[in-house]
């Protein structure tokens, strides 16, 4: 659980840096996904620093997924919004309401319940059909992003957020489906390509959502997409379980943590960051 929480800390801090870079990047044309947005964002040092933290967070996420059920890791990753909120409050002087501080506390309480109730990771390896299904979902995420530009504002933000969440969810499940790391096994494992396509698509859709729509709606969609689906896959197909007799505590902790994260959805962008330093955001 320590690795899962460390991953959330990295992702939560990175989101502040990436939000600054996304808002400081010149917008492209149209209202849908902009394939060149990532290229322009990479010219921002804050985005590069955020990517570095994302890389460290991903390593910790992989370690966590090798020892914990997907539902516990997914809830911990959603808790990165609580990290973002606290970082923004302490370092950027963003004002949190009493309800938002309560949501931070709820996330912590939910994770504590999950930590007590979680058993070991499931003992099922997963079928080839599931591996190909994850690859299909990853490709579908790209298609969802292409269609998002045809939707109105709130619908577009929700579609981009859900798509990003599905992509990150594919990454969570695919890590569990990669059982051998030899080069020969990796290149023939569809889960590896699902991980790469899903992760890349998720970053593209999330970056577009930060710049082009309601960040609160997009982030809420992302939280739902990256927690509920992967948790069900872990329980139904990969054998994730709780400690004996603590199913109710795990379910309660999962719901409390995810609900608290949804209440903090506006911190998917931390909008006050760009306002706090308007002159230097293009450094």
């Amino acid at each position: 659980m320590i690795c899962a929480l460390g991953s959330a800390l990295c992702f939560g801090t990175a989101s502040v840096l990436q939000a600054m870079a996304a808002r400081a990047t010149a917008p492209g044309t149209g209202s849908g996904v902009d394939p060149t947005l990532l290229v322009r964002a990479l010219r921002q040092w804050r985005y590069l620093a955020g990517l570095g933290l994302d890389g460290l967070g991903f390593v910790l996420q992989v370690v966590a997924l090798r020892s914990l059920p997907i539902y516990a890791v997914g809830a911990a990753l959603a808790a990165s919004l609580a990290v973002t909120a606290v970082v923004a409050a302490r370092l950027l002087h963003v004002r949190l309401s009493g309800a938002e501080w309560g949501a931070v506390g709820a996330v912590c309480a939910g994770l504590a319940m999950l930590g007590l109730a979680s058993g070991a990771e499931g003992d099922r390896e997963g079928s080839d059909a599931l591996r190909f299904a994850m690859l299909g979902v990853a490709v579908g995420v790209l298609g969802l992003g292409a269609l998002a530009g045809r939707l109105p504002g709130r619908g577009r933000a929700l579609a981009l957020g859900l798509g990003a969440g599905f992509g990150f969810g594919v990454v969570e499940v695919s890590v569990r489906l990669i059982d051998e790391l030899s080069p020969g096994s990796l290149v023939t494992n569809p889960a590896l390509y699902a991980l790469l396509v899903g992760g890349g698509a998720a970053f593209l859709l999330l970056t577009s959502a930060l710049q082009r729509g309601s960040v609160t709606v997009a982030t809420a969609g992302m939280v739902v997409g990256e927690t509920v689906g992967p948790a069900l896959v872990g329980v139904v197909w990969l054998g994730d379980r709780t400690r004996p007799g603590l199913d109710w505590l795990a379910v309660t902790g999962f719901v409390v943590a995810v609900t608290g994260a949804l209440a903090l959805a506006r911190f998917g962008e931390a909008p006050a960051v760009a306002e706090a330093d308007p002159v230097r955001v293009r450094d």
Side-chain angles (χ1 to χ4, degrees), residues 144-174:
L144 180 60
L147 293 173
R150 302 179 182 180
L151 300 174
R154 286 180 68 87
R156 181 171 64 247
L158 181 60
L160 288 171
L162 276 172
F166 292 153
F168 289 131
V170 166
V171 172
E172 294 173 32
V173 176
S174 297

Side-chain angles (χ1 to χ4, degrees), residues 159-260:
L160 288 171
L162 276 172
F166 292 153
F168 289 131
V170 166
V171 172
E172 294 173 32
V173 176
S174 297
V175 167
R176 287 279 297 276
L177 296 175
I178 299 175
D179 44 12
E180 291 194 25
L181 300 180
S182 63
S185 298
L186 282 176
V187 297
T188 59
N189 190 340
L192 173 64
Y193 304 102
L195 186 154
L196 295 175
V197 175
F203 269 113
L204 175 60
L205 267 62
L206 181 58
T207 304
S208 297
L210 288 177
Q211 191 181 57
R212 295 176 181 276
S214 168
V215 173
T216 300
V217 173
T219 303
M222 183 188 70
V223 169
V224 171
E226 73 177 347
T227 55
V228 178
L232 291 175
V233 172
V235 171
V236 176
W237 284 285
L238 298 178
D240 287 348
R241 293 292 181 267
T242 66
R243 294 180 182 177
L246 293 180
D247 294 22
W248 65 272
L249 186 61
V251 172
T252 302
F254 181 85
V255 171
V256 169
V258 172
T259 301

Side-chain angles (χ1 to χ4, degrees), residues 60-78:
L60 294 173
Q61 176 187 357
V62 170
V63 175
L65 286 166
R66 290 296 185 179
S67 58
L68 289 174
I70 293 177
Y71 64 78
V73 178
L77 295 179

Side-chain angles (χ1 to χ4, degrees), residues 132-146 167 170 193-194 197-198 201:
F132 280 107
M134 288 300 101
L135 180 56
V137 173
V139 175
V141 169
L142 289 172
L144 180 60
V170 166
Y193 304 102
V197 175

